[in-house]
Amino acid sequence: MSDLKQRSKEILAGPQARHRTVQVTVGNVKVGGGAPIVVQSMTNTDTADIEATVKQVAALARAGSELVRITVDREEAAAAVPHIREKLDKMGVDVPLIGDFHYIGHKLLAEYPACAAALAKYRINPGNVGFKNKRDSQFTDIVEIAIKNNKTIRIGANWGSLDQELLTRLMEENAKSPDPIDARAVTREAMVQSALLSAQRAEDIGLPKDRMILSAKVSNVQDLIAVYRELAARSDYAIHLGLTEAGMGSKGIVASSAALGILLQDGIGDTIRVSLTPEPGGDRTVEVKVGQEILQTMGFRTFVPLVAACPGCGRTTSTVFQELARDIQTFISAEMPEWRTRYPGVEQLNVAVMGCIVNGPGESKHADIGISLPGTGETPAAPVFVDGQKFRTLRGPTIAADFKALVIDYIEQRYGATAKPTAAVTAAE
């Protein structure tokens, strides 16, 4: 029995303690050092198109992205950055902007100082910051500009653009070893070393540790887990988590959720990005919502009210509960930007929309407010439960509209400006 109690304690303990990292400030956002795990995203507009980029950054920020990265790949993009920042500020969108630099970042940052000043962080890849004898000098140029402007740098090693000189050297050393490891493991080691060696070089130049974030992204789930576990074991830099080239639709969502979920459970990760390939013309904010849902589902943060809904079975041939669950979820998502300021704490709300008598009443009682709709052959009545108690029974063709009204009333009474901290709707039949 004592063993069972011990195992229960271990299970209920939840995630491991967060990996201790040095806290970094990006604009007005704290990353690492025990701060809440930050959700970030990236635009896919041409940064030189100022209006399109401003529109997408604002949409990502409204969806909950706390940092937004933009591509700075050429002179026109660099020239546009300060104008993008200015327009966002005028709109009241203060989300920090991250510049994504490859190949000529040193040149763009030097020749466009207004761009360097407008960005809150520079993202560079040690695999393509420069080549051969130019690598160290160009890396140094970027680091010195970051120091001058008091900016943070993310050193982001990537499986697809790994430092080939480093990889070749490690492969050759491994081949001479009496007990060689497989090539994939050598590549993972090269990823870790690439990030750590570059970070140490930046420190040697003068960039403090509290101005650096590291990442080591790959597209395979198991490789990602192995790389980040090793990176965390060997450093205390703030860590950016993400599965690169995760893919489109459910494939990308599942892969990112599996990889990030395991690492977050291990206590690894200070900021995350879910890199989803959108459908042509698709909604870029989906990756923000998925990132939030990963953190909320695992209990790390709360962003929006939780809507628990019945999956449906042979007892639920009616589509009423599906339509109501969809309507409530859509309604909450649309109202959240205003609710965050009008109803402090509303993101903690739990709503249940259930489809039959089997689990419906029980699940509804566990929610703050829930409804148990009638299943096939059941009495056409829908009991509503508030704070664990039966509150009212709805009937007739207006059940959906009546329940939505009750949800709004509950929110107003519990989270409204005049509500008491423990206020709740008084149960009444």
Side-chain angles (χ1 to χ4, degrees), residues 308-310 324 350-374 382-392 403 410:
C310 171
L324 180 56
N350 287 328
V351 181
V353 179
M354 305 305 294
C356 79
I357 199 171
V358 175
N359 293 323
E363 290 286 350
S364 296
K365 288 178 183 178
H366 287 302
D368 295 314
I369 179 169
I371 186 170
S372 179
L373 292 158
V384 174
F385 297 83
V386 173
D387 294 334
Q389 302 296 320
K390 188 174 179 182
F391 171 65
R392 183 176 298 166
F403 182 66
Y410 184 89

PDB file of all heavy atoms in Angstrom, residues 308-310 324 350-374 382-392 403 410:
ATOM      1  N   ALA A 308     -15.448  21.897 -22.581  1.00  0.00           N
ATOM      2  CA  ALA A 308     -15.430  20.438 -22.687  1.00  0.00           C
ATOM      3  C   ALA A 308     -16.688  20.013 -23.442  1.00  0.00           C
ATOM      4  O   ALA A 308     -17.790  20.454 -23.110  1.00  0.00           O
ATOM      5  CB  ALA A 308     -15.411  19.809 -21.296  1.00  0.00           C
ATOM      6  N   ALA A 309     -16.514  19.193 -24.465  1.00  0.00           N
ATOM      7  CA  ALA A 309     -17.660  18.803 -25.274  1.00  0.00           C
ATOM      8  C   ALA A 309     -17.672  17.299 -25.497  1.00  0.00           C
ATOM      9  O   ALA A 309     -16.631  16.663 -25.651  1.00  0.00           O
ATOM     10  CB  ALA A 309     -17.637  19.527 -26.620  1.00  0.00           C
ATOM     11  N   CYS A 310     -18.854  16.743 -25.511  1.00  0.00           N
ATOM     12  CA  CYS A 310     -19.054  15.322 -25.753  1.00  0.00           C
ATOM     13  C   CYS A 310     -18.587  14.967 -27.169  1.00  0.00           C
ATOM     14  O   CYS A 310     -18.864  15.706 -28.114  1.00  0.00           O
ATOM     15  CB  CYS A 310     -20.545  15.024 -25.592  1.00  0.00           C
ATOM     16  SG  CYS A 310     -21.049  13.383 -26.091  1.00  0.00           S
ATOM     17  N   LEU A 324     -24.039  23.450 -30.638  1.00  0.00           N
ATOM     18  CA  LEU A 324     -23.948  24.320 -29.466  1.00  0.00           C
ATOM     19  C   LEU A 324     -22.495  24.428 -28.995  1.00  0.00           C
ATOM     20  O   LEU A 324     -22.020  25.520 -28.667  1.00  0.00           O
ATOM     21  CB  LEU A 324     -24.824  23.785 -28.333  1.00  0.00           C
ATOM     22  CG  LEU A 324     -24.824  24.602 -27.036  1.00  0.00           C
ATOM     23  CD1 LEU A 324     -25.217  26.048 -27.309  1.00  0.00           C
ATOM     24  CD2 LEU A 324     -25.766  23.978 -26.008  1.00  0.00           C
ATOM     25  N   ASN A 350     -14.610  27.233 -16.960  1.00  0.00           N
ATOM     26  CA  ASN A 350     -14.816  25.911 -17.578  1.00  0.00           C
ATOM     27  C   ASN A 350     -16.277  25.753 -17.952  1.00  0.00           C
ATOM     28  O   ASN A 350     -17.161  25.922 -17.095  1.00  0.00           O
ATOM     29  CB  ASN A 350     -14.416  24.787 -16.621  1.00  0.00           C
ATOM     30  CG  ASN A 350     -12.919  24.686 -16.457  1.00  0.00           C
ATOM     31  OD1 ASN A 350     -12.169  24.961 -17.379  1.00  0.00           O
ATOM     32  ND2 ASN A 350     -12.470  24.311 -15.271  1.00  0.00           N
ATOM     33  N   VAL A 351     -16.536  25.441 -19.213  1.00  0.00           N
ATOM     34  CA  VAL A 351     -17.896  25.235 -19.715  1.00  0.00           C
ATOM     35  C   VAL A 351     -17.987  23.810 -20.258  1.00  0.00           C
ATOM     36  O   VAL A 351     -17.055  23.319 -20.892  1.00  0.00           O
ATOM     37  CB  VAL A 351     -18.229  26.236 -20.842  1.00  0.00           C
ATOM     38  CG1 VAL A 351     -19.657  26.026 -21.345  1.00  0.00           C
ATOM     39  CG2 VAL A 351     -18.046  27.669 -20.365  1.00  0.00           C
ATOM     40  N   ALA A 352     -19.109  23.141 -20.007  1.00  0.00           N
ATOM     41  CA  ALA A 352     -19.314  21.786 -20.531  1.00  0.00           C
ATOM     42  C   ALA A 352     -20.572  21.747 -21.391  1.00  0.00           C
ATOM     43  O   ALA A 352     -21.611  22.278 -20.992  1.00  0.00           O
ATOM     44  CB  ALA A 352     -19.435  20.777 -19.386  1.00  0.00           C
ATOM     45  N   VAL A 353     -20.454  21.134 -22.563  1.00  0.00           N
ATOM     46  CA  VAL A 353     -21.599  20.917 -23.451  1.00  0.00           C
ATOM     47  C   VAL A 353     -21.638  19.423 -23.749  1.00  0.00           C
ATOM     48  O   VAL A 353     -20.836  18.911 -24.525  1.00  0.00           O
ATOM     49  CB  VAL A 353     -21.467  21.730 -24.753  1.00  0.00           C
ATOM     50  CG1 VAL A 353     -22.671  21.461 -25.658  1.00  0.00           C
ATOM     51  CG2 VAL A 353     -21.346  23.220 -24.460  1.00  0.00           C
ATOM     52  N   MET A 354     -22.572  18.722 -23.120  1.00  0.00           N
ATOM     53  CA  MET A 354     -22.624  17.260 -23.197  1.00  0.00           C
ATOM     54  C   MET A 354     -23.876  16.795 -23.929  1.00  0.00           C
ATOM     55  O   MET A 354     -24.889  17.496 -23.949  1.00  0.00           O
ATOM     56  CB  MET A 354     -22.568  16.664 -21.791  1.00  0.00           C
ATOM     57  CG  MET A 354     -21.366  17.127 -20.972  1.00  0.00           C
ATOM     58  SD  MET A 354     -19.775  16.841 -21.783  1.00  0.00           S
ATOM     59  CE  MET A 354     -19.744  15.047 -21.798  1.00  0.00           C
ATOM     60  N   GLY A 355     -23.772  15.561 -24.505  1.00  0.00           N
ATOM     61  CA  GLY A 355     -24.803  15.137 -25.438  1.00  0.00           C
ATOM     62  C   GLY A 355     -25.802  14.099 -24.988  1.00  0.00           C
ATOM     63  O   GLY A 355     -26.740  13.809 -25.709  1.00  0.00           O
ATOM     64  N   CYS A 356     -25.635  13.496 -23.783  1.00  0.00           N
ATOM     65  CA  CYS A 356     -26.619  12.514 -23.343  1.00  0.00           C
ATOM     66  C   CYS A 356     -26.519  12.313 -21.839  1.00  0.00           C
ATOM     67  O   CYS A 356     -25.662  12.889 -21.173  1.00  0.00           O
ATOM     68  CB  CYS A 356     -26.456  11.179 -24.090  1.00  0.00           C
ATOM     69  SG  CYS A 356     -25.107  10.159 -23.471  1.00  0.00           S
ATOM     70  N   ILE A 357     -27.334  11.430 -21.319  1.00  0.00           N
ATOM     71  CA  ILE A 357     -27.464  11.267 -19.874  1.00  0.00           C
ATOM     72  C   ILE A 357     -26.325  10.447 -19.249  1.00  0.00           C
ATOM     73  O   ILE A 357     -26.156  10.432 -18.031  1.00  0.00           O
ATOM     74  CB  ILE A 357     -28.831  10.593 -19.562  1.00  0.00           C
ATOM     75  CG1 ILE A 357     -29.220  10.827 -18.102  1.00  0.00           C
ATOM     76  CG2 ILE A 357     -28.778   9.102 -19.897  1.00  0.00           C
ATOM     77  CD1 ILE A 357     -30.638  10.391 -17.788  1.00  0.00           C
ATOM     78  N   VAL A 358     -25.515   9.746 -20.068  1.00  0.00           N
ATOM     79  CA  VAL A 358     -24.488   8.859 -19.510  1.00  0.00           C
ATOM     80  C   VAL A 358     -23.440   9.650 -18.735  1.00  0.00           C
ATOM     81  O   VAL A 358     -23.239   9.449 -17.537  1.00  0.00           O
ATOM     82  CB  VAL A 358     -23.818   8.025 -20.624  1.00  0.00           C
ATOM     83  CG1 VAL A 358     -22.668   7.205 -20.044  1.00  0.00           C
ATOM     84  CG2 VAL A 358     -24.839   7.093 -21.267  1.00  0.00           C
ATOM     85  N   ASN A 359     -22.727  10.531 -19.412  1.00  0.00           N
ATOM     86  CA  ASN A 359     -21.709  11.339 -18.750  1.00  0.00           C
ATOM     87  C   ASN A 359     -22.106  12.806 -18.622  1.00  0.00           C
ATOM     88  O   ASN A 359     -21.411  13.579 -17.964  1.00  0.00           O
ATOM     89  CB  ASN A 359     -20.382  11.271 -19.525  1.00  0.00           C
ATOM     90  CG  ASN A 359     -19.748   9.893 -19.479  1.00  0.00           C
ATOM     91  OD1 ASN A 359     -19.810   9.215 -18.462  1.00  0.00           O
ATOM     92  ND2 ASN A 359     -19.164   9.476 -20.583  1.00  0.00           N
ATOM     93  N   GLY A 360     -23.205  13.162 -19.265  1.00  0.00           N
ATOM     94  CA  GLY A 360     -23.598  14.570 -19.320  1.00  0.00           C
ATOM     95  C   GLY A 360     -23.744  15.252 -17.969  1.00  0.00           C
ATOM     96  O   GLY A 360     -23.070  16.253 -17.694  1.00  0.00           O
ATOM     97  N   PRO A 361     -24.599  14.749 -17.077  1.00  0.00           N
ATOM     98  CA  PRO A 361     -24.776  15.431 -15.784  1.00  0.00           C
ATOM     99  C   PRO A 361     -23.481  15.484 -14.968  1.00  0.00           C
ATOM    100  O   PRO A 361     -23.163  16.510 -14.362  1.00  0.00           O
ATOM    101  CB  PRO A 361     -25.848  14.581 -15.092  1.00  0.00           C
ATOM    102  CG  PRO A 361     -26.609  13.955 -16.219  1.00  0.00           C
ATOM    103  CD  PRO A 361     -25.590  13.671 -17.262  1.00  0.00           C
ATOM    104  N   GLY A 362     -22.724  14.379 -14.965  1.00  0.00           N
ATOM    105  CA  GLY A 362     -21.494  14.360 -14.176  1.00  0.00           C
ATOM    106  C   GLY A 362     -20.479  15.361 -14.671  1.00  0.00           C
ATOM    107  O   GLY A 362     -19.881  16.107 -13.893  1.00  0.00           O
ATOM    108  N   GLU A 363     -20.231  15.387 -15.992  1.00  0.00           N
ATOM    109  CA  GLU A 363     -19.276  16.338 -16.556  1.00  0.00           C
ATOM    110  C   GLU A 363     -19.753  17.773 -16.356  1.00  0.00           C
ATOM    111  O   GLU A 363     -18.956  18.677 -16.086  1.00  0.00           O
ATOM    112  CB  GLU A 363     -19.075  16.066 -18.052  1.00  0.00           C
ATOM    113  CG  GLU A 363     -18.320  14.791 -18.352  1.00  0.00           C
ATOM    114  CD  GLU A 363     -16.827  14.904 -18.046  1.00  0.00           C
ATOM    115  OE1 GLU A 363     -16.350  16.026 -17.788  1.00  0.00           O
ATOM    116  OE2 GLU A 363     -16.146  13.860 -18.054  1.00  0.00           O
ATOM    117  N   SER A 364     -21.034  17.994 -16.484  1.00  0.00           N
ATOM    118  CA  SER A 364     -21.580  19.342 -16.314  1.00  0.00           C
ATOM    119  C   SER A 364     -21.400  19.835 -14.881  1.00  0.00           C
ATOM    120  O   SER A 364     -21.144  21.019 -14.647  1.00  0.00           O
ATOM    121  CB  SER A 364     -23.075  19.362 -16.681  1.00  0.00           C
ATOM    122  OG  SER A 364     -23.244  19.051 -18.045  1.00  0.00           O
ATOM    123  N   LYS A 365     -21.522  18.917 -13.913  1.00  0.00           N
ATOM    124  CA  LYS A 365     -21.326  19.297 -12.510  1.00  0.00           C
ATOM    125  C   LYS A 365     -19.878  19.686 -12.230  1.00  0.00           C
ATOM    126  O   LYS A 365     -19.603  20.520 -11.384  1.00  0.00           O
ATOM    127  CB  LYS A 365     -21.738  18.136 -11.589  1.00  0.00           C
ATOM    128  CG  LYS A 365     -23.236  17.903 -11.513  1.00  0.00           C
ATOM    129  CD  LYS A 365     -23.540  16.701 -10.627  1.00  0.00           C
ATOM    130  CE  LYS A 365     -25.038  16.404 -10.591  1.00  0.00           C
ATOM    131  NZ  LYS A 365     -25.338  15.199  -9.770  1.00  0.00           N
ATOM    132  N   HIS A 366     -18.939  19.070 -12.949  1.00  0.00           N
ATOM    133  CA  HIS A 366     -17.524  19.383 -12.735  1.00  0.00           C
ATOM    134  C   HIS A 366     -17.126  20.724 -13.346  1.00  0.00           C
ATOM    135  O   HIS A 366     -16.104  21.303 -12.978  1.00  0.00           O
ATOM    136  CB  HIS A 366     -16.641  18.276 -13.322  1.00  0.00           C
ATOM    137  CG  HIS A 366     -16.668  17.004 -12.522  1.00  0.00           C
ATOM    138  ND1 HIS A 366     -16.310  16.965 -11.197  1.00  0.00           N
ATOM    139  CD2 HIS A 366     -17.011  15.738 -12.865  1.00  0.00           C
ATOM    140  CE1 HIS A 366     -16.423  15.727 -10.746  1.00  0.00           C
ATOM    141  NE2 HIS A 366     -16.852  14.961 -11.741  1.00  0.00           N
ATOM    142  N   ALA A 367     -17.913  21.214 -14.303  1.00  0.00           N
ATOM    143  CA  ALA A 367     -17.622  22.497 -14.944  1.00  0.00           C
ATOM    144  C   ALA A 367     -18.190  23.635 -14.096  1.00  0.00           C
ATOM    145  O   ALA A 367     -18.991  23.421 -13.177  1.00  0.00           O
ATOM    146  CB  ALA A 367     -18.232  22.530 -16.342  1.00  0.00           C
ATOM    147  N   ASP A 368     -17.781  24.866 -14.399  1.00  0.00           N
ATOM    148  CA  ASP A 368     -18.383  26.029 -13.737  1.00  0.00           C
ATOM    149  C   ASP A 368     -19.836  26.160 -14.154  1.00  0.00           C
ATOM    150  O   ASP A 368     -20.709  26.435 -13.339  1.00  0.00           O
ATOM    151  CB  ASP A 368     -17.610  27.304 -14.105  1.00  0.00           C
ATOM    152  CG  ASP A 368     -16.193  27.280 -13.571  1.00  0.00           C
ATOM    153  OD1 ASP A 368     -16.005  26.924 -12.398  1.00  0.00           O
ATOM    154  OD2 ASP A 368     -15.270  27.617 -14.337  1.00  0.00           O
ATOM    155  N   ILE A 369     -20.058  25.996 -15.464  1.00  0.00           N
ATOM    156  CA  ILE A 369     -21.425  25.983 -15.972  1.00  0.00           C
ATOM    157  C   ILE A 369     -21.482  24.967 -17.102  1.00  0.00           C
ATOM    158  O   ILE A 369     -20.599  24.924 -17.962  1.00  0.00           O
ATOM    159  CB  ILE A 369     -21.879  27.389 -16.451  1.00  0.00           C
ATOM    160  CG1 ILE A 369     -23.327  27.325 -16.992  1.00  0.00           C
ATOM    161  CG2 ILE A 369     -20.915  27.980 -17.475  1.00  0.00           C
ATOM    162  CD1 ILE A 369     -23.940  28.708 -17.233  1.00  0.00           C
ATOM    163  N   GLY A 370     -22.485  24.093 -17.057  1.00  0.00           N
ATOM    164  CA  GLY A 370     -22.560  23.039 -18.058  1.00  0.00           C
ATOM    165  C   GLY A 370     -23.985  22.660 -18.372  1.00  0.00           C
ATOM    166  O   GLY A 370     -24.897  22.891 -17.563  1.00  0.00           O
ATOM    167  N   ILE A 371     -24.157  22.079 -19.550  1.00  0.00           N
ATOM    168  CA  ILE A 371     -25.480  21.660 -19.974  1.00  0.00           C
ATOM    169  C   ILE A 371     -25.412  20.217 -20.449  1.00  0.00           C
ATOM    170  O   ILE A 371     -24.442  19.806 -21.094  1.00  0.00           O
ATOM    171  CB  ILE A 371     -26.025  22.580 -21.102  1.00  0.00           C
ATOM    172  CG1 ILE A 371     -27.482  22.216 -21.438  1.00  0.00           C
ATOM    173  CG2 ILE A 371     -25.142  22.521 -22.348  1.00  0.00           C
ATOM    174  CD1 ILE A 371     -28.160  23.235 -22.363  1.00  0.00           C
ATOM    175  N   SER A 372     -26.434  19.431 -20.103  1.00  0.00           N
ATOM    176  CA  SER A 372     -26.527  18.044 -20.541  1.00  0.00           C
ATOM    177  C   SER A 372     -27.721  17.929 -21.471  1.00  0.00           C
ATOM    178  O   SER A 372     -28.874  17.917 -21.021  1.00  0.00           O
ATOM    179  CB  SER A 372     -26.684  17.111 -19.336  1.00  0.00           C
ATOM    180  OG  SER A 372     -26.803  15.773 -19.750  1.00  0.00           O
ATOM    181  N   LEU A 373     -27.438  17.887 -22.763  1.00  0.00           N
ATOM    182  CA  LEU A 373     -28.517  17.832 -23.753  1.00  0.00           C
ATOM    183  C   LEU A 373     -29.081  16.418 -23.851  1.00  0.00           C
ATOM    184  O   LEU A 373     -28.386  15.444 -23.551  1.00  0.00           O
ATOM    185  CB  LEU A 373     -27.987  18.283 -25.115  1.00  0.00           C
ATOM    186  CG  LEU A 373     -27.621  19.783 -25.166  1.00  0.00           C
ATOM    187  CD1 LEU A 373     -26.642  20.046 -26.284  1.00  0.00           C
ATOM    188  CD2 LEU A 373     -28.864  20.620 -25.337  1.00  0.00           C
ATOM    189  N   PRO A 374     -30.320  16.279 -24.269  1.00  0.00           N
ATOM    190  CA  PRO A 374     -30.928  14.950 -24.358  1.00  0.00           C
ATOM    191  C   PRO A 374     -30.361  14.136 -25.521  1.00  0.00           C
ATOM    192  O   PRO A 374     -30.153  14.660 -26.617  1.00  0.00           O
ATOM    193  CB  PRO A 374     -32.408  15.253 -24.558  1.00  0.00           C
ATOM    194  CG  PRO A 374     -32.438  16.612 -25.190  1.00  0.00           C
ATOM    195  CD  PRO A 374     -31.289  17.352 -24.606  1.00  0.00           C
ATOM    196  N   ALA A 382     -33.034  19.654 -21.008  1.00  0.00           N
ATOM    197  CA  ALA A 382     -31.587  19.841 -20.871  1.00  0.00           C
ATOM    198  C   ALA A 382     -31.281  20.512 -19.543  1.00  0.00           C
ATOM    199  O   ALA A 382     -31.401  21.732 -19.417  1.00  0.00           O
ATOM    200  CB  ALA A 382     -31.056  20.679 -22.029  1.00  0.00           C
ATOM    201  N   PRO A 383     -30.896  19.739 -18.522  1.00  0.00           N
ATOM    202  CA  PRO A 383     -30.545  20.358 -17.249  1.00  0.00           C
ATOM    203  C   PRO A 383     -29.238  21.155 -17.358  1.00  0.00           C
ATOM    204  O   PRO A 383     -28.285  20.716 -17.994  1.00  0.00           O
ATOM    205  CB  PRO A 383     -30.384  19.163 -16.302  1.00  0.00           C
ATOM    206  CG  PRO A 383     -30.087  18.006 -17.198  1.00  0.00           C
ATOM    207  CD  PRO A 383     -30.807  18.266 -18.473  1.00  0.00           C
ATOM    208  N   VAL A 384     -29.215  22.304 -16.704  1.00  0.00           N
ATOM    209  CA  VAL A 384     -28.030  23.159 -16.652  1.00  0.00           C
ATOM    210  C   VAL A 384     -27.505  23.139 -15.223  1.00  0.00           C
ATOM    211  O   VAL A 384     -28.281  23.270 -14.262  1.00  0.00           O
ATOM    212  CB  VAL A 384     -28.373  24.607 -17.072  1.00  0.00           C
ATOM    213  CG1 VAL A 384     -27.164  25.521 -16.870  1.00  0.00           C
ATOM    214  CG2 VAL A 384     -28.835  24.644 -18.525  1.00  0.00           C
ATOM    215  N   PHE A 385     -26.202  22.963 -15.078  1.00  0.00           N
ATOM    216  CA  PHE A 385     -25.565  22.928 -13.764  1.00  0.00           C
ATOM    217  C   PHE A 385     -24.641  24.125 -13.615  1.00  0.00           C
ATOM    218  O   PHE A 385     -23.883  24.463 -14.529  1.00  0.00           O
ATOM    219  CB  PHE A 385     -24.785  21.627 -13.589  1.00  0.00           C
ATOM    220  CG  PHE A 385     -25.641  20.396 -13.611  1.00  0.00           C
ATOM    221  CD1 PHE A 385     -26.030  19.824 -14.818  1.00  0.00           C
ATOM    222  CD2 PHE A 385     -26.089  19.822 -12.420  1.00  0.00           C
ATOM    223  CE1 PHE A 385     -26.844  18.696 -14.841  1.00  0.00           C
ATOM    224  CE2 PHE A 385     -26.899  18.699 -12.439  1.00  0.00           C
ATOM    225  CZ  PHE A 385     -27.274  18.127 -13.648  1.00  0.00           C
ATOM    226  N   VAL A 386     -24.698  24.775 -12.463  1.00  0.00           N
ATOM    227  CA  VAL A 386     -23.862  25.940 -12.173  1.00  0.00           C
ATOM    228  C   VAL A 386     -23.123  25.686 -10.867  1.00  0.00           C
ATOM    229  O   VAL A 386     -23.737  25.374  -9.845  1.00  0.00           O
ATOM    230  CB  VAL A 386     -24.704  27.224 -12.069  1.00  0.00           C
ATOM    231  CG1 VAL A 386     -23.851  28.388 -11.590  1.00  0.00           C
ATOM    232  CG2 VAL A 386     -25.339  27.555 -13.413  1.00  0.00           C
ATOM    233  N   ASP A 387     -21.809  25.773 -10.914  1.00  0.00           N
ATOM    234  CA  ASP A 387     -20.977  25.548  -9.727  1.00  0.00           C
ATOM    235  C   ASP A 387     -21.313  24.229  -9.041  1.00  0.00           C
ATOM    236  O   ASP A 387     -21.373  24.140  -7.807  1.00  0.00           O
ATOM    237  CB  ASP A 387     -21.107  26.709  -8.744  1.00  0.00           C
ATOM    238  CG  ASP A 387     -20.544  28.005  -9.304  1.00  0.00           C
ATOM    239  OD1 ASP A 387     -19.659  27.931 -10.182  1.00  0.00           O
ATOM    240  OD2 ASP A 387     -20.987  29.080  -8.883  1.00  0.00           O
ATOM    241  N   GLY A 388     -21.564  23.199  -9.840  1.00  0.00           N
ATOM    242  CA  GLY A 388     -21.799  21.865  -9.311  1.00  0.00           C
ATOM    243  C   GLY A 388     -23.220  21.565  -8.899  1.00  0.00           C
ATOM    244  O   GLY A 388     -23.524  20.447  -8.494  1.00  0.00           O
ATOM    245  N   GLN A 389     -24.114  22.552  -9.000  1.00  0.00           N
ATOM    246  CA  GLN A 389     -25.502  22.358  -8.581  1.00  0.00           C
ATOM    247  C   GLN A 389     -26.447  22.530  -9.767  1.00  0.00           C
ATOM    248  O   GLN A 389     -26.195  23.350 -10.652  1.00  0.00           O
ATOM    249  CB  GLN A 389     -25.878  23.374  -7.492  1.00  0.00           C
ATOM    250  CG  GLN A 389     -25.001  23.306  -6.249  1.00  0.00           C
ATOM    251  CD  GLN A 389     -25.141  21.984  -5.528  1.00  0.00           C
ATOM    252  OE1 GLN A 389     -26.251  21.442  -5.416  1.00  0.00           O
ATOM    253  NE2 GLN A 389     -24.025  21.457  -5.042  1.00  0.00           N
ATOM    254  N   LYS A 390     -27.532  21.749  -9.759  1.00  0.00           N
ATOM    255  CA  LYS A 390     -28.520  21.916 -10.814  1.00  0.00           C
ATOM    256  C   LYS A 390     -29.149  23.299 -10.692  1.00  0.00           C
ATOM    257  O   LYS A 390     -29.565  23.721  -9.598  1.00  0.00           O
ATOM    258  CB  LYS A 390     -29.598  20.842 -10.702  1.00  0.00           C
ATOM    259  CG  LYS A 390     -30.552  20.849 -11.892  1.00  0.00           C
ATOM    260  CD  LYS A 390     -31.529  19.687 -11.826  1.00  0.00           C
ATOM    261  CE  LYS A 390     -32.481  19.731 -13.021  1.00  0.00           C
ATOM    262  NZ  LYS A 390     -33.476  18.631 -12.966  1.00  0.00           N
ATOM    263  N   PHE A 391     -29.173  24.013 -11.801  1.00  0.00           N
ATOM    264  CA  PHE A 391     -29.624  25.402 -11.792  1.00  0.00           C
ATOM    265  C   PHE A 391     -30.986  25.567 -12.460  1.00  0.00           C
ATOM    266  O   PHE A 391     -31.881  26.221 -11.951  1.00  0.00           O
ATOM    267  CB  PHE A 391     -28.570  26.263 -12.510  1.00  0.00           C
ATOM    268  CG  PHE A 391     -28.990  27.676 -12.760  1.00  0.00           C
ATOM    269  CD1 PHE A 391     -29.213  28.555 -11.710  1.00  0.00           C
ATOM    270  CD2 PHE A 391     -29.147  28.153 -14.058  1.00  0.00           C
ATOM    271  CE1 PHE A 391     -29.597  29.864 -11.942  1.00  0.00           C
ATOM    272  CE2 PHE A 391     -29.528  29.471 -14.293  1.00  0.00           C
ATOM    273  CZ  PHE A 391     -29.749  30.327 -13.234  1.00  0.00           C
ATOM    274  N   ARG A 392     -31.125  24.952 -13.622  1.00  0.00           N
ATOM    275  CA  ARG A 392     -32.364  25.133 -14.384  1.00  0.00           C
ATOM    276  C   ARG A 392     -32.447  24.043 -15.436  1.00  0.00           C
ATOM    277  O   ARG A 392     -31.431  23.458 -15.825  1.00  0.00           O
ATOM    278  CB  ARG A 392     -32.353  26.511 -15.061  1.00  0.00           C
ATOM    279  CG  ARG A 392     -33.635  26.852 -15.830  1.00  0.00           C
ATOM    280  CD  ARG A 392     -33.556  28.270 -16.376  1.00  0.00           C
ATOM    281  NE  ARG A 392     -33.443  29.238 -15.285  1.00  0.00           N
ATOM    282  CZ  ARG A 392     -33.101  30.512 -15.450  1.00  0.00           C
ATOM    283  NH1 ARG A 392     -32.813  30.959 -16.652  1.00  0.00           N
ATOM    284  NH2 ARG A 392     -33.049  31.325 -14.417  1.00  0.00           N
ATOM    285  N   PHE A 403     -28.972  28.823 -23.334  1.00  0.00           N
ATOM    286  CA  PHE A 403     -27.752  28.452 -22.622  1.00  0.00           C
ATOM    287  C   PHE A 403     -26.651  29.491 -22.838  1.00  0.00           C
ATOM    288  O   PHE A 403     -25.925  29.833 -21.900  1.00  0.00           O
ATOM    289  CB  PHE A 403     -27.262  27.074 -23.078  1.00  0.00           C
ATOM    290  CG  PHE A 403     -26.028  26.619 -22.349  1.00  0.00           C
ATOM    291  CD1 PHE A 403     -26.071  26.335 -20.994  1.00  0.00           C
ATOM    292  CD2 PHE A 403     -24.813  26.484 -23.011  1.00  0.00           C
ATOM    293  CE1 PHE A 403     -24.938  25.927 -20.306  1.00  0.00           C
ATOM    294  CE2 PHE A 403     -23.673  26.075 -22.336  1.00  0.00           C
ATOM    295  CZ  PHE A 403     -23.731  25.796 -20.984  1.00  0.00           C
ATOM    296  N   TYR A 410     -23.468  34.279 -16.304  1.00  0.00           N
ATOM    297  CA  TYR A 410     -22.525  33.713 -15.334  1.00  0.00           C
ATOM    298  C   TYR A 410     -21.210  34.495 -15.342  1.00  0.00           C
ATOM    299  O   TYR A 410     -20.654  34.823 -14.289  1.00  0.00           O
ATOM    300  CB  TYR A 410     -22.274  32.249 -15.663  1.00  0.00           C
ATOM    301  CG  TYR A 410     -21.375  31.550 -14.664  1.00  0.00           C
ATOM    302  CD1 TYR A 410     -21.905  30.933 -13.537  1.00  0.00           C
ATOM    303  CD2 TYR A 410     -19.997  31.539 -14.829  1.00  0.00           C
ATOM    304  CE1 TYR A 410     -21.087  30.301 -12.613  1.00  0.00           C
ATOM    305  CE2 TYR A 410     -19.162  30.917 -13.904  1.00  0.00           C
ATOM    306  CZ  TYR A 410     -19.715  30.302 -12.798  1.00  0.00           C
ATOM    307  OH  TYR A 410     -18.904  29.693 -11.880  1.00  0.00           O
TER     308      TYR A 410
END
